[in-house]
Amino acid sequence: MTPSATVDDHAGLIERLVAPVIQALGAEPVAVLDALGRVSAADVHSDVDLPLFRNSQMDGFAVRAADVVSTPIALEVTGDIPAGHATPVTLIAGTALRIMTGAPMPTGADAVVPVEDTELVLGRDDALDGAIVTISRSRKAGEYVRERGSDLRRGDLLLAAGTRLAPRHLAALAAAGIADVDVRRRLRVGVITTGAELVAHDEELAAGRIFDANRVALTTGIAEAGAVVSVAESSDDDPDTFRRILDDVVGASDLVITSGGVSKGAFEVVREVLEPLGASVGSIAMQPGGPQGTAVVDGVPVVCFPGNPVSTQVSFAVFLAPLLRRISGLPAECTGTRTLVSPIVSVHGKRQFLRGITGVDGTVALASGPSSHLVAAMARADVLIDIPLETTHLEVGETVTVWYL
Ligand code: AMP
Ligand code: MG
């Protein structure tokens, strides 16, 4: 990587590294109830017609349309057809059958008169036996009848490959009696944070140590982008320790993200271990997030972010979140435009991603200064303000591109 590499160059590099992994992901069957948010791996064709059988769209009376042409008309009611009724029923011409929504249409009937357009006088002892229904409104053949296959025919496409499965898709599969669906395997992403100073956020702090914010940022970010965290580890700055952890994490993952240890100081463990393995570690024209690296270890792409918490989060938002979201079938487009309400000063030759807070009327204000340790200010922000490479000043009222966090 040359020092002049741009954000787009680096994003392209990562994309090319990850592409073969995506190709090889493959599919797995999952139960429909477990498939929410997964991406269908193949077209699914229906084995059945939908509706499964001809049925009533209304609570009312199944009739022959020809018998109710002139209304009002009184018809003898010869029986009841509730939903779930199993035995086939035949309508006698000139009579009606009381029918419920979803109940199978009787043979011989071609319309349903909704109950609202009828008046029923029950027979002796308030029984349906001997009941008469007076129909006040005529209906044409087919009215309030749901024909078998009118929604979808057997063999038709029920679900297209590449669909991110929402409740409506799963409901359609269920309606067709499908119990399992083939989905794309989710990308397993491993995380290694590095730094001798790190203590897990739920452990005891000691002198000179800090809580590991990046492990939480990356693992939750991976999940939010629809991938799965295979394993998340933390390494000190000892090369042997890092190498051992790296091998374990690579073995369990399709993609690995590291944080820290890629700058130009001493004890830069990620750089020290990965460069001899052919990694490209360098600086790109971006702030925060200048130091970046990539490697392939045992065929697994390793993407190396700098350790400052804001740098890690911005790097993830810019370089991996859109890619992971695309793999997961989530909308990858996460940018928009806003009107500045704070003036901005930026470094020439660096693409800056400043933290912003959006307001009403399409505005955005600066949430903090540009320093990459301001993790609390990052939490107050809801966008990154994307300042182009060559821009040094922006005035209030100018339009900027923002990345929604
Ligand atoms: P490095 O990139 O390793 O040089 O780290 C740069 C800065 O980020 C240092 O101040 C580190 O202490 C801090 N840092 C590195 N990793 C983490 C982490 N996982 N969580 C919070 N801060 C970190
Ligand atoms: Mg470090």
Side-chain angles (χ1 to χ4, degrees):
M1 191 185 321
T2 63
S4 61
T6 65
V7 167
D8 291 340
D9 294 337
H10 194 62
L13 175 66
I14 291 176
E15 181 129 17
R16 285 193 298 283
L17 277 184
V18 179
V21 176
I22 302 169
Q23 281 297 315
L25 259 190
E28 61 185 354
V30 296
V32 159
L33 272 179
D34 297 326
L36 183 65
R38 302 296 298 270
V39 178
S40 57
D43 287 350
V44 177
H45 295 269
S46 180
D47 280 341
V48 295
D49 289 325
L50 287 177
L52 295 164
F53 51 85
R54 189 166 177 257
N55 68 86
S56 174
Q57 192 176 328
M58 281 289 189
D59 293 331
F61 291 85
V63 295
R64 294 191 330 163
D67 291 338
V68 297
V69 171
S70 48
T71 54
I73 183 151
L75 300 175
E76 185 191 341
V77 180
T78 57
D80 245 339
I81 316 177
H85 192 78
T87 356
V89 179
T90 302
L91 178 77
I92 303 158
T95 71
L97 282 156
R98 188 161 71 171
I99 194 164
M100 305 306 145
T101 307
M105 281 294 285
T107 315
D110 58 9
V112 171
V113 181
V115 72
E116 294 83 344
D117 299 332
T118 67
E119 197 177 335
L120 180 66
V121 178
L122 291 168
R124 206 182 304 149
D125 301 331
D126 282 346
L128 199 64
D129 208 19
I132 299 289
V133 64
T134 302
I135 299 209
S136 54
R137 194 176 152 183
S138 74
R139 291 289 169 186
K140 292 197 199 61
E143 274 194 87
Y144 295 118
V145 178
R146 302 158 165 172
E147 293 298 341
R148 174 177 175 158
S150 54
D151 188 13
L152 189 88
R153 293 240 170 246
R154 180 185 169 163
D156 281 354
L157 184 67
L158 182 58
L159 178 72
T163 305
R164 183 178 161 84
L165 298 171
R168 65 186 185 281
H169 306 116
L170 301 172
L173 294 175
I178 293 170
D180 301 294
V181 58
D182 282 338
V183 294
R184 277 190 214 153
R185 211 162 61 67
R186 274 190 296 218
L187 199 72
R188 297 165 309 156
V189 186
V191 172
I192 311 172
T193 56
T194 69
E197 71 278 32
L198 300 181
V199 172
H201 67 284
D202 52 359
E203 284 174 8
E204 198 75 33
L205 201 61
R209 313 288 291 270
I210 60 166
F211 292 115
D212 184 342
N214 294 348
R215 177 145 41 138
V216 171
L218 291 171
T219 54
T220 54
I222 289 162
E224 190 182 47
V228 280
V229 177
S230 50
V231 49
E233 294 285 355
S234 197
S235 171
D236 60 21
D237 293 321
D238 171 57
D240 292 337
T241 309
F242 176 70
R243 180 66 211 247
R244 190 174 41 73
I245 292 174
L246 178 70
D247 286 341
D248 286 350
V249 174
V250 159
S253 310
D254 303 308
L255 168 69
V256 173
I257 309 173
T258 67
S259 92
V262 284
S263 309
K264 296 202 174 78
F267 313 110
E268 303 289 2
V269 69
V270 174
R271 177 196 281 275
E272 272 175 48
V273 169
L274 287 182
E275 265 181 347
L277 300 179
S280 125
V281 180
S283 181
I284 68 167
M286 169 186 188
Q287 205 178 53
Q292 294 283 342
T294 53
V296 177
V297 178
D298 290 342
V300 175
V302 180
V303 176
C304 311
F305 293 152
N308 267 308
V310 176
S311 308
T312 294
Q313 290 181 50
V314 168
S315 301
F316 183 80
V318 171
F319 294 123
L320 279 181
L323 183 59
L324 297 184
R325 289 175 68 84
R326 205 161 67 232
I327 299 169
S328 321
L330 287 165
E333 185 52 59
C334 58
T335 59
T337 54
R338 290 266 162 176
T339 307
L340 272 179
V341 293
S342 322
I344 283 177
V345 178
S346 187
V347 188
H348 182 264
K350 295 230 191 269
R351 182 157 162 195
Q352 278 223 315
F353 290 93
L354 294 167
R355 274 65 72 204
I357 301 175
T358 58
V360 288
D361 303 330
T363 59
V364 64
L366 272 181
S368 70
S371 300
S372 52
H373 64 287
L374 302 173
V375 66
M378 178 78 186
R380 286 197 295 277
D382 61 353
V383 290
L384 297 175
I385 308 175
D386 185 346
I387 312 295
L389 219 55
E390 306 303 330
T391 302
T392 53
H393 287 89
L394 285 171
E395 302 301 332
V396 170
E398 293 203 63
T399 301
V400 285
T401 299
V402 295
W403 295 54
Y404 296 102
L405 293 171

